[in-house]
Amino acid sequence: MQKDDYFKFESETPDFPLYNDNPHISIGKWAVMILSAILTIFLIVVPLDFLSELGIWKRLLYLIIPLLGFGFAVDWKFGLICKKFKKGDFKLIVILLIAELIFTFLLDLILIHFGVAAQGNPIISELTSVSTWLIFPLQIFGEELIKIIPFLVFLTLFYKFTKNRKMSIVIATVLTLVIFALLHLPAYESLISVLLLQGLCSIFTMYAYLKTKNIFVSYAIHLLLDTIVFLILLLSTITG
């Protein structure tokens, strides 16, 4: 791999796993990993009566299924995406968190101005439950996996045919963010809103992974962001 194949913002080592046979995994293991992501997406998007009996605890499946699928595919070598934090990572987390908060707030104001309002966040009614606060950090990690797995799949697919690393990263990132946005459509019921607020705004957490190749960095931003938003919603509910 040549230096020109990397974006300037990237850490060149380590590289993304899997796409360049680093390591090579069988077609069968690829299938298991892809199916785990598809099954998780299906469970998020399609309400199933037998799962509704689990209540909020069903959201643990959003972590368990992709975690097992990815783990099986890579022989449980989670170090491929889970790295130790580096010194500069904490500064990056703070900068990207602030940037995403500001960008999301401004974009939300613009959408409201043009009459593009999504349905209220359905989690508002659950914020007084201890179970919600126990489960959502685990669910958020599952959501990061649901971004990373499709990204690695698309990156591998497009790189195989183009041998153009930069273009493959861009295409994989765009497709991943669109899929992640559409996961929120059943809850928010506004296509434009989810594509912009849940899709485009997630570029900050995605950038964190692209730069560091460490899911813990993108997860930290995602977790802190949702915690702040949930606390604001809880406070507004209590005071309102």
Side-chain angles (χ1 to χ4, degrees), residues 28-234:
K29 288 186 174 181
W30 271 112
V32 170
M33 183 170 63
I34 293 171
L35 286 174
S36 73
I38 292 175
L39 177 58
T40 306
I41 291 171
F42 177 80
L43 293 178
I44 293 173
V45 174
V46 180
L48 298 175
D49 291 338
F50 73 94
L51 285 180
S52 63
E53 297 179 4
L54 296 175
I56 194 173
W57 296 98
K58 71 178 181 181
R59 294 178 185 174
L60 289 176
L61 295 175
Y62 304 163
L63 168 65
I64 294 171
I65 294 173
L67 191 67
L68 291 177
F70 181 82
F72 174 80
V74 300
D75 294 326
W76 315 106
K77 296 175 182 177
F78 289 106
L80 291 171
I81 58 172
C82 301
K83 317 290 184 183
K84 292 181 179 179
F85 284 104
K86 296 179 180 179
K87 184 178 180 180
D89 290 342
F90 299 104
K91 180 180 178 180
L92 180 69
I93 288 169
V94 172
I95 291 174
L96 291 177
L97 174 63
I98 294 173
E100 184 165 358
L101 281 168
I102 294 173
F103 186 76
T104 302
F105 176 73
L106 293 177
L107 189 55
D108 192 33
L109 288 179
I110 293 172
L111 291 176
I112 292 174
H113 176 75
F114 286 100
V116 182
Q119 177 178 294
N121 194 321
I123 203 171
I124 293 177
S125 61
E126 303 170 359
L127 291 178
T128 55
S129 168
V130 175
S131 299
T132 297
W133 292 96
L134 291 175
I135 292 173
F136 104 86
L138 302 175
Q139 179 184 338
I140 294 300
F141 194 83
E143 290 183 9
E144 283 303 302
L145 283 172
I146 291 303
K147 284 192 286 190
I148 301 306
I149 291 175
F151 170 78
L152 294 176
V153 171
F154 290 132
L155 174 60
T156 301
L157 180 63
F158 285 101
Y159 183 76
K160 180 178 178 62
F161 290 102
T162 67
K163 299 301 179 183
N164 187 320
R165 184 179 180 278
K166 286 184 177 179
M167 182 177 70
S168 299
I169 289 173
V170 171
I171 295 173
T173 298
V174 171
L175 292 176
T176 297
L177 293 182
V178 169
I179 291 173
F180 185 71
L182 294 178
L183 289 179
H184 296 80
L185 187 57
Y188 291 94
E189 299 182 355
S190 171
L191 180 59
I192 296 177
S193 178
V194 297
L195 286 175
L196 293 177
L197 293 178
Q198 279 72 38
L200 179 60
C201 290
S202 292
I203 191 62
F204 295 94
T205 52
M206 197 68 200
Y207 174 86
Y209 178 73
L210 296 178
K211 180 175 177 60
T212 65
K213 283 77 171 180
N214 184 1
I215 194 174
F216 286 150
V217 178
S218 60
Y219 169 69
I221 298 169
H222 194 167
L223 180 63
L224 289 170
L225 178 73
D226 278 19
T227 300
I228 292 171
V229 171
F230 289 173
L231 287 173
I232 293 173
L233 290 173
L234 179 62

